[in-house]
Amino acid sequence: MSGARLAILTGAAGHIGRATVEKFAATGWSLVITDVSAAVDEIASTAAGKHGTTVIGVQADIAAEEGVMEVTAAAEGTGVPVTFLGLIAGINHEAAPVDQIDMNVWDRVLSINLRANVLMMKHCVPLLRKSGGGAIATTSSWWGRAAHPYFSAYCASKAGVIALTQSAAGELAPHIRVNSVAPGNVGTPMHYDALEVEARERRIPVAEMQEIEWAKIPLGRPAEPAEIAAAFHFLASPESSYLTGAVLDVNGGCGFY
Amino acid sequence: MSSENLGGVIITGSARGIGRAIADHLAQTGYGIVIADLDESAGTRAAAEIQKAGGNALFRHVNVADRKSVAAAVMACEEAFGFIHAIVNNAGFNRPQHFLETTEDNWNKIMTINGLGVLIGMQEAAKAMIAAGHKGKIVNTASIASRSGDAEWVPYCASKAAVVSMTQAGAKALAQHGINVNAFAPGVVQTDLWTQLDKDLMDMGISSRPGEAMQNFSQNIPLGRTSTPQDVVGTVAFLISPASNYMTGQCLMIDGGMIMQ
């Protein structure tokens, strides 16, 4: 691909985010990366130094419109055409039966996982249009394809992401493609925390909970974050130029749809 | 490109169309290519053209429903290229008939090539990969017809739905051997298959001028155009590469957004 091009990536300080920053920086993309965590600045400067490409970190809360606008301002400030938006930021929550849900938790999960995505699309689509088009990739989950007990907010938000992806794909075609990556189990703290929490709820040892969950994975293991990053990279590349409204299920075979 | 031997890839139905485009692309990447096709003259020509362009390719006459010919192609792949890295089970055809007039013969022919042919290809390639201890890739050509039935070609739809189902079954069966099995689902692709289909639909009275049937079918594609074999190639390359190592049992839609689910 000739010419400078810029990608905006959210959730950049998480494990999938970091791996995606690394993959994009290593393949010549300029980047504006954002996260609530202050670590995003160090991640940006490390990637810029290592790969010799522009990487700007913006610590911001994209649940709020002001935070989103800080990110888009940073992107516009570079003068490099924005051609990709990677919406990776997402949170999980404590296991809770539906009759005991803390509605503040529900609101927060839906806000970050779903609402912030549409807020980012709202503000970034004009940038993509200005560049003559591009692509957007969201992060769903195998738990958005088929839901699990005790995690209704997470599952509902991730199912919502797929619907949002497809609505946007239909609207923004033909110049902006919108697709989703639906990871399965990824070997990150979020995964291991969820195992612990569910183990506690079921009153069984964590090791047994892990065995139960990993036995459901034909490939027998969770993904490396880099394997999820590879899917985002594919969706940002010309190799995927005829895909829109599609969901890439990168899940080791734990679910088929 | 490194000097590492990437091994060979068998592509069925690669004398023309999508299969040929995949063969060209993978040859450029450095894979040895086995053009496995019924059409001897087009197949030999394809292999020669790939060789002339600097790639490594050979032709084998293969009927995907004939296990012996598939097994022979696998062996030829191993002999020529050291080992088989992947098979793309792409051979398939359509022959539309009105729903109420669809015959057993039509059903059997289509299900045999499009369905059984994919199963045999998966089996023979997997056996070789397992014997060689190679964590290879199997890619099957599905279709938008896998996800959405159409009145004019029910056996084709059934066969392509079968491809998705077999991809899932194959993924479960072969995961323990480190072999990933996925499918890709093109939408409307400008190939000889559609040229013939367009003509068949005219003969059936469903359309009245050349190109009309394809045009009608393609009216609401979000990306605003039908696709060429080139549009499909990048996704197949992704599914054969290490970048997709954590994907298995999946069907990737490459259809310009025709079917979103």
Side-chain angles (χ1 to χ4, degrees):
Chain A
M1 198 187 282
S2 63
R5 63 212 189 274
L6 189 141
I8 296 173
L9 303 176
T10 70
H15 288 248
I16 293 176
R18 284 169 193 252
T20 308
V21 171
E22 170 64 22
K23 179 68 181 177
F24 276 68
T27 50
W29 284 85
S30 296
L31 292 168
V32 166
I33 67 174
T34 182
D35 200 284
V36 271
S37 160
V40 74
D41 291 323
E42 205 227 305
I43 294 167
S45 56
T46 306
K50 184 175 171 191
H51 299 291
T53 181
T54 303
V55 185
I56 297 171
V58 179
Q59 185 185 7
D61 179 3
I62 57 170
E65 202 140 23
E66 309 87 68
V68 171
M69 288 166 71
E70 280 175 49
V71 175
T72 54
E76 283 184 292
T78 66
V80 181
V82 179
T83 60
F84 184 71
L85 174 62
L87 299 170
I88 299 170
I91 58 171
N92 205 338
H93 56 85
E94 303 260 316
V98 289
D99 57 327
Q100 290 169 39
I101 282 192
D102 177 346
M103 290 314 291
N104 290 324
V105 171
W106 174 276
D107 288 342
R108 183 75 182 152
V109 171
L110 270 294
S111 177
I112 299 292
N113 292 6
L114 184 56
R115 189 175 183 276
N117 281 355
V118 73
L119 212 45
M120 285 294 296
M121 285 187 192
K122 181 175 177 182
H123 288 270
C124 293
V125 162
L127 302 186
L128 295 171
R129 285 198 171 127
K130 210 163 82 173
S131 307
I136 300 173
T138 60
T139 308
S140 175
S141 166
W142 67 302
W143 283 16
R145 291 291 222 170
H148 284 224
Y150 307 118
F151 290 92
S152 51
Y154 184 78
C155 297
S157 73
K158 290 303 188 179
V161 165
I162 293 177
L164 171 63
T165 301
Q166 294 174 348
S167 290
E171 287 173 33
L172 301 175
H175 299 297
I176 299 171
R177 303 180 297 106
V178 191
N179 297 288
S180 191
V181 178
N185 299 275
V186 187
T188 67
M190 188 193 277
H191 172 75
Y192 293 105
D193 287 350
L195 287 177
E196 273 181 41
V197 163
E198 196 164 353
R200 232 182 293 133
E201 185 75 24
R202 296 190 188 201
R203 307 189 203 298
I204 59 177
V206 179
E208 189 184 327
M209 192 69 234
Q210 181 176 290
E211 219 179 287
I212 291 171
E213 285 304 302
W214 289 17
K216 297 175 190 170
I217 311 172
L219 293 190
R221 60 172 179 87
E224 294 294 314
E227 291 173 313
I228 311 302
F232 279 99
H233 187 253
F234 168 69
L235 291 175
S237 81
E239 320 280 63
S240 62
S241 59
Y242 203 65
L243 274 81
T244 197
V247 182
L248 248 77
D249 294 287
V250 188
N251 63 30
C254 72
F256 305 140
Y257 316 102
Chain B
M1 202 188 304
S2 74
S3 57
E4 176 205 344
N5 180 19
L6 297 178
V9 179
I10 297 177
I11 305 161
T12 67
S14 49
R16 295 172 297 161
I18 292 174
R20 174 64 199 273
I22 295 169
D24 287 344
H25 183 87
L26 295 182
Q28 277 168 42
T29 310
Y31 295 99
I33 302 297
V34 175
I35 306 275
D37 204 284
L38 272 178
D39 187 337
E40 177 109 27
S41 93
T44 342
R45 196 180 335 125
E49 283 168 6
I50 291 174
Q51 291 273 136
K52 196 161 169 210
N56 269 323
L58 57 95
F59 168 75
R60 279 295 177 272
H61 181 267
V62 167
N63 175 349
V64 293
D66 169 23
R67 189 180 292 274
K68 280 204 205 67
S69 74
V70 176
V74 171
M75 208 174 336
C77 182
E78 292 182 299
E79 280 166 6
F81 306 121
F83 62 95
I84 172 171
H85 169 66
I87 188 164
V88 183
N89 293 303
N90 172 74
F93 77 103
N94 196 354
R95 191 77 61 233
Q97 293 183 334
H98 292 291
F99 183 83
L100 291 174
E101 293 162 25
T102 299
T103 64
E104 284 87 328
D105 181 63
N106 183 260
W107 171 274
N108 289 334
K109 287 197 163 84
I110 291 174
M111 285 302 291
T112 298
I113 296 298
N114 296 9
L116 180 62
V118 169
L119 176 61
I120 291 175
M122 289 201 287
Q123 290 172 313
E124 294 304 311
K127 285 186 222 171
M129 291 170 186
I130 292 165
H134 178 68
K135 297 183 172 164
K137 307 267 182 161
I138 295 177
V139 178
N140 301 324
T141 304
S143 168
I144 43 171
S146 302
R147 301 298 201 187
S148 178
D150 291 293
E152 282 77 41
W153 47 78
V154 55
Y156 183 79
C157 296
S159 74
K160 288 304 188 179
V163 169
V164 170
S165 181
M166 290 191 291
T167 298
Q168 296 172 358
K172 286 185 185 170
L174 301 175
Q176 61 186 293
H177 301 291
I179 298 169
N180 292 25
V181 186
N182 292 290
F184 66 99
V188 182
V189 192
Q190 299 158 26
T191 63
D192 289 348
L193 184 150
W194 255 103
T195 308
Q196 182 63 49
L197 189 56
D198 187 83
K199 181 183 176 303
D200 288 342
L201 292 168
M202 229 169 64
D203 292 343
M204 285 161 70
I206 286 171
S207 55
S208 48
R209 53 174 177 80
E212 181 188 339
M214 189 180 188
Q215 203 181 317
N216 287 343
F217 198 78
S218 313
Q219 253 166 18
N220 293 313
I221 302 176
L223 286 190
R225 59 177 182 86
T226 56
S227 54
T228 63
Q230 271 309 117
D231 287 315
V232 157
V233 151
T235 301
V236 178
F238 171 72
L239 290 175
I240 293 204
S241 78
S244 59
N245 278 356
Y246 201 66
M247 284 185 73
T248 195
Q250 306 305 322
C251 178
L252 238 70
M253 306 305 296
I254 327 174
D255 62 353
M258 286 180 87
I259 296 199
M260 300 190 191
Q261 62 176 66

